[in-house]
Amino acid sequence: MSYDPHREDYQRLGLRFARSLDGKDPAAATRAFASFSRRFSQNRDSLPQSDADRAFHLVAEAATLIDYELPFADDDHAEQLIDQGHHLLDEAIALDERCHDAIRMKQAAESHSFESYYDFLASNADSVRASCEEARAQTHDESPERALLEADIAMRPYYRWLATQAGKAVICGRNREAIRLGEKLLDLDPQDSSDVRFTCAIAYAKLEDEAGLERFAARTKPLMRAGTEDAWMQLARISLAHKRHDMDEASRLLGRLIGSYPHAALALTSQKELPDGVFARLAVAPLSEDELILAVSEGTVLLQEGRDDAGRGVLGTWVARHAGLGSSWEGRR
């Protein structure tokens, strides 16, 4: 599951609060920490925090408005949410000029094209990495476990920067660059907290590189959930089979995808498009209906290739027609 901004906000303050209790009587520290969750939710300002922590909290609030509320708002309410979100990002940058998440999110709204946004991300990636590595070098904690988490949190803005850049590279037709960025990010974060492997699967399908996709699938196999390939990888395989006109294999793979996710036939028939998450890929439950809807939306670059009379791409029309054939698909793997 991709980054949850509110969970990260909780982790940041939890770490700082835990450090403030070091050296205190263990019983008193335990009692104090027992109140942390309540204070976090009801009286956040009573907790120790830096300007960077406050800035990230504003980013989390902006992410809720822009990524999770805006896509479902009516036109009148949408404008208000956009204004509120941008105001929160401006406040975050005022508090912390190195709040890279806020800078990246604000630029997404100000860029006039995908290409200009991609160029902004590419031209600033090295400086963001240097900034995050400097922050990581300054981390310190008596607990090795907390030290690891603190170091990881310090690098997350750069990981999200690279993941966003890889996603935009696919949209801009820079599929080899998307794969290069994805491989780089996986080297830095083998647990793939950004889910950049999903982006890479789409890029390999766009390149029609079946051998490359198989090598990548082998590399990322340890990240599979419940022994099931994610929807992005399965869509990539379906796309490649369809492009080589192996319709039996494409049908078999489609059946396996439908059997992997609840209510999959409906999601594949409707093929809803969602706005990309600005903070990060939307955080949804693994192998859920929401995850499939998200994958189908991001897979639009495959589904809508070569638009046909139905207004969908050739693959999109085929998938919608075959996914809607009936309940016989359900349960197939």
Side-chain angles (χ1 to χ4, degrees):
M1 184 168 68
S2 193
Y3 294 107
D4 180 335
H6 291 285
R7 181 172 182 269
E8 188 166 330
D9 187 25
Y10 186 93
Q11 289 175 322
R12 291 175 67 109
L13 263 63
L15 280 170
R16 191 171 297 280
F17 188 66
R19 286 198 300 271
S20 74
L21 300 177
D22 287 343
K24 293 188 176 182
D25 173 71
T30 299
R31 287 194 299 271
F33 202 81
S35 69
F36 173 77
S37 294
R38 176 182 54 78
R39 292 174 64 184
F40 178 84
S41 62
Q42 298 178 12
N43 190 18
R44 177 193 170 88
D45 289 341
S46 71
L47 294 169
Q49 55 194 295
S50 66
D51 281 347
D53 294 329
R54 294 184 180 92
F56 188 83
H57 175 66
L58 295 171
V59 167
E61 293 294 309
T64 296
L65 296 177
I66 298 170
D67 288 349
Y68 293 92
E69 295 185 20
L70 181 59
F72 308 102
D74 56 43
D75 291 342
D76 293 337
H77 194 208
E79 197 65 37
Q80 180 184 351
L81 290 175
I82 292 170
D83 290 343
Q84 288 175 344
H86 291 176
H87 178 69
L88 289 167
L89 295 176
D90 288 336
E91 281 191 81
I93 296 169
L95 278 171
D96 177 15
E97 64 181 10
R98 298 202 301 180
C99 186
H100 302 300
D101 288 308
I103 293 167
R104 174 176 54 82
M105 293 166 71
K106 193 168 187 297
Q107 187 64 36
E110 295 178 351
S111 295
H112 299 298
S113 66
F114 291 125
E115 284 284 353
S116 64
Y117 186 39
Y118 174 84
D119 290 342
F120 167 81
L121 294 169
S123 61
N124 289 280
D126 288 344
S127 63
V128 172
R129 178 172 186 168
S131 173
C132 291
E133 288 178 340
E134 180 183 347
R136 182 179 61 185
Q138 294 172 355
T139 61
H140 59 280
D141 204 297
E142 296 178 3
S143 162
E145 186 176 287
R146 293 196 322 234
L148 284 173
L149 178 58
E150 188 177 13
D152 179 56
I153 287 174
M155 291 301 298
R156 288 178 189 176
Y158 177 60
Y159 297 163
R160 286 188 283 267
W161 195 282
L162 275 190
T164 301
Q165 187 181 344
K168 298 311 170 190
V170 170
I171 293 173
C172 293
R174 303 169 185 252
N175 295 294
R176 296 189 190 281
E177 180 66 4
I179 292 168
R180 185 190 72 80
L181 292 166
E183 296 276 5
K184 180 178 181 179
L185 184 48
L186 284 168
D187 288 340
L188 293 168
D189 177 26
Q191 296 305 310
D192 193 20
S193 305
S194 306
D195 291 336
V196 74
R197 66 190 185 280
F198 301 162
T199 302
C200 290
I202 297 295
Y204 275 113
K206 289 289 290 182
L207 291 169
E208 301 183 34
D209 184 356
E210 293 195 52
L213 182 67
E214 289 305 320
R215 289 192 297 270
F216 187 74
R219 174 182 179 175
T220 58
K221 186 175 181 179
L223 299 173
M224 287 172 54
R225 290 82 51 91
T228 301
E229 282 192 328
D230 60 79
W232 288 263
M233 180 63 73
Q234 294 193 56
L235 282 170
R237 294 186 186 282
I238 292 167
S239 173
L240 290 170
H242 189 270
K243 284 180 178 178
R244 66 174 183 268
H245 305 293
D246 187 345
M247 307 315 292
D248 287 342
E249 177 67 359
S251 295
R252 185 189 72 80
L253 292 169
L254 179 61
R256 188 179 73 174
L257 174 58
I258 290 173
S260 301
Y261 285 85
H263 311 296
L266 178 60
L268 292 165
T269 302
S270 58
Q271 296 179 20
K272 295 178 182 177
E273 289 188 58
L274 301 173
D276 290 336
V278 180
F279 173 75
R281 178 178 275 110
L282 299 181
V284 294
L287 300 177
S288 66
E289 180 183 8
D290 287 341
E291 182 177 85
L292 178 58
I293 291 170
L294 183 60
V296 169
S297 178
E298 293 186 14
T300 294
V301 293
L302 299 174
L303 296 168
Q304 292 189 359
E305 282 184 333
R307 285 185 175 273
D308 61 4
D309 293 339
R312 283 177 168 152
V314 175
L315 177 61
T317 296
W318 181 86
V319 166
R321 183 171 64 249
H322 284 74
L325 287 178
S327 60
S328 60
W329 287 110
E330 296 299 335
R332 289 179 60 177
R333 301 285 173 177

